Amino acid sequence: MPADGLKVAVRIRPLGAHETGDSSVQVVSQRCLRTTAPASSLVARLSKQGRIIKDYAFSNVLDEAAGQADVFNICVEPMMPSFLNGSSCLLFAYG
């Protein structure tokens, strides 16, 4: 595992059947995620700029098509050699 150690990955879930409209989240690249506040949101209505767009950087961005095996291969498998050689590793998953 690289010396920097800390990595943060995000996996975008598909919209559910009860969710309508376009997603306010889009994958820009394997390391960048873009959010757009919906026009109906409070932050957009209070903003003088209208819709607010923000980009966020991550170690890895997995899109809606990513499955559990993809998450393992990209996020967990690279830690395994260090873990098996006695290093401490932490994987925190939410959602």
Side-chain angles (χ1 to χ4, degrees):
M1 189 153 83
D4 61 333
L6 180 66
K7 297 194 182 310
V8 179
V10 63
R11 177 182 177 194
I12 310 306
R13 67 170 178 79
L15 290 177
H18 65 282
E19 297 170 307
T20 59
D22 293 329
S23 174
S24 60
V25 178
Q26 99 182 84
V27 176
V28 176
S29 71
Q30 290 180 336
R31 300 194 185 273
C32 184
L33 178 72
R34 178 170 291 147
T35 62
T36 305
S40 61
S41 70
L42 180 62
V43 69
R45 287 184 309 202
L46 295 176
S47 171
K48 294 177 182 175
Q49 304 158 341
R51 297 186 91 178
I52 297 176
I53 298 171
K54 292 191 177 190
D55 288 348
Y56 298 91
F58 294 91
S59 303
N60 296 98
V61 175
L62 295 105
D63 65 15
E64 297 92 339
Q68 293 295 86
D70 298 314
V71 174
F72 178 84
N73 292 335
I74 292 169
C75 301
V76 180
E77 190 174 29
M79 292 191 295
M80 295 307 295
S82 294
F83 175 73
L84 294 173
N85 285 325
S87 294
S88 295
C89 298
L90 170 69
L91 173 66
F92 177 79
Y94 173 79

